[in-house]
Amino acid sequence: MGSYVPSTQAQREQMLRAVGLENVMDLYRDVPEQMLLREPLHIPDGMSELEAARAVSAMAAENRTYATILRGAGAYDHYIPSIVKYIPAKEEFLTAYTPYQAEMSQGLLQSIFEYQTMICELTGMDVSNASVYDGATAAAEAAAMCRERKRRVTLISGAAHPDTINTVRTYCYGTGDELRVVPVKDGRTDMDALREMLDDGVASFYVQQPNFFGQFEDAEALGQLAHQAGAKYIMGCNPIALAIMKTPRDCGADIAVGEGQPLGLPLGCGGPYLGYMAATDKLMRKLPGRIVGETTDDQGRRAYVLSLQAREQHIRREKASSNICSNEALCALTAGLYMATMGPDGMAEAAEQSMAKAHYLEKALCALPGVEPVYGGAYFHEFVLKMPRSQELLEALDRRGILGGLPLGDDRVLWCATEKVSRRELDEAVSIVKEVLDR
C-alpha cells in the first residue's frame, strides 16, 4: 500500500531540526503521558490489496440486488447513461475536495457553476447552491432560511416524505423552534387545515410535489395561502417530474429544494445523495453552502470564483444560520453531467415514460380481484393501492427477483415505475400478484 505522507524521512528530520526538535514525539510533549498511545491498537493486522478486495467483495455479496424495482419512496431506479458514471470516476474529479484556492480549481468551479445554472433552469429560480447533503437536509435548511425574529414556526405538509418531516423536526428541536404538521386529506395537503394553521408566527410552509403518495398537490393555491399569511413558500420537487410539470417559480415558491438522486446517482444502498437548493434573488444571501459565480480575469478571460459563502461556520460561526460546509461537488458534477447528457427532451422523455408506465401498472393491478386505488387524484409515477394479502404477494415478488412496492400498513402498498422498467417486467409482476390472489 502507498503512503499518504508526501515528505521523505530526511525532509521530516530537517523540518524537526528547523523548529528545534529531535523527533516527532517532541511535538506532543505538552500532552499528558497517560494520554499517549505507547502500544498498538487492538485491531486486526492490515491486509494486502488482494486480501482487502476479497474481503470487501464478500461483504458486497451479502447485499440483495433486484432485476426489477417497483419501489420508490424517495430513491428511484432511473437509467444512467455510461458517460455519467465514467467522467466523475476520473481521478482529477474523484479526489478533488473543497475549491478554497479558486485560481487552482477552475475546472471544478466550472462544473459547480454549470450544475447551478441547470438547477436554476429546471426550477425557474434565480440562484442555486451546490452543497447540501440530501433532499431532507435541503428542506430543513430552507426552513431555517425563512425564520425571522417574530416568525419562528414552520409548517410542513403531512403528505411530505416521513424522513423529510423528521429531519425538519430535528432541526427545529436544535434551535428551539416549532414545527407543525398540516393534516392530509384524500392523499393531499388539507387546504382548509392549512388556512387555519397559518398565523403571524408562521415563517414558512413546505409542500412536496409530487408528494410522498405520488399525488400532485394544488401547488399554486397552497402558495397563495402561504403568501397571504406573510409566510415564505418552500416546494420540494422531484427533479425528473420538473421536466414536465410547472416549475416551483411558476407556482409562486420562494425556495425550491429536493433530492437530486434521480439525476444520475445510483441507488447505492442509500447514498451518497445530493440535496439541491434554489431560491429567488431576494433570498440569495441566506442560502447555505457555496455559490460559484462567473467573471473575467485581468486579461479578460472567463474565470470562476466562489461568490458567496458568508453563512458558513468557518467564517461566521457564532452568527451562522447554517452549519453546512462539506463539499457535495462530486455528486453535483454527476447530476450536472446527467442533465447535460439527457438534455431537456431526454429528461422529459424519462418523465413521460415513468408516468405512463406507472399508470399502466396501476390499471393492470386494479383489474385483479380486491385491488383498488386508495386515492383518486392525479399522480406522477407513484401510487398507493389497497391490496389483500399484501405481505404475501410482496414476498412472492421478492422470491422472483422483483422488489415490490413499499408496504404502508393496513394492506396499503406504495408502488412506483420508472422509464427503466419494461412492459414485460410489469406484466410479469402483475402475473405473480395474480397467482397469489387466485390461490
Side-chain angles (χ1 to χ4, degrees), residues 344-360:
D345 293 340
M347 289 184 63
E349 178 70 17
E352 289 167 356
Q353 284 201 30
S354 297
M355 191 170 182
K357 290 178 178 181
H359 283 73
Y360 175 86

Side-chain angles (χ1 to χ4, degrees), residues 9-28:
Q9 180 62 33
Q11 289 172 325
R12 292 194 288 273
E13 291 175 355
Q14 182 181 1
M15 287 187 283
L16 287 168
R17 289 195 299 270
V19 295
L21 302 177
E22 294 184 2
N23 55 61
V24 172
M25 290 306 297
D26 286 345
L27 292 169
Y28 304 96

Side-chain angles (χ1 to χ4, degrees), residues 261-318:
Q261 179 273 326
L263 301 175
L265 297 170
L267 293 174
C269 297
Y273 289 167
L274 168 77
Y276 74 81
M277 291 188 74
T280 61
D281 53 9
K282 293 181 180 179
L283 292 171
M284 176 173 61
R285 292 189 173 275
K286 291 189 175 183
L287 267 177
R290 296 167 178 79
I291 299 175
V292 174
E294 183 181 274
T295 185
T296 56
D297 63 13
D298 57 1
Q299 298 180 34
R301 298 175 299 186
R302 182 172 57 181
Y304 298 93
V305 295
L306 284 173
S307 301
L308 289 174
Q309 52 177 343
R311 294 144 313 284
E312 294 196 30
Q313 60 181 2
H314 66 282
I315 295 178
R316 300 175 61 197
R317 179 176 300 185
E318 71 282 357

Side-chain angles (χ1 to χ4, degrees), residues 358-370:
H359 283 73
Y360 175 86
L361 177 61
E362 187 210 27
K363 183 178 180 181
L365 288 172
C366 287
L368 302 179

Side-chain angles (χ1 to χ4, degrees), residues 18 47-48 55 76 185 230 264 326 366 368 422 427:
M47 298 180 181
S48 67
Y76 302 99
K185 182 178 181 180
S326 291
C366 287
L368 302 179
S422 67
D427 290 341

Side-chain angles (χ1 to χ4, degrees), residues 1 4 53 65 122 146 149 156 171 192 204 223 235 282 290 296 309 324 361 364 374 377 379 381 424 430:
M1 301 295 286
Y4 288 98
T65 58
L122 196 62
C146 298
R149 187 170 59 87
I156 187 168
Y171 266 61
D192 294 330
S204 64
M235 287 185 65
K282 293 181 180 179
R290 296 167 178 79
T296 56
Q309 52 177 343
I324 292 288
L361 177 61
V374 175
Y379 63 90
H381 69 346
R424 179 191 61 78
V430 173

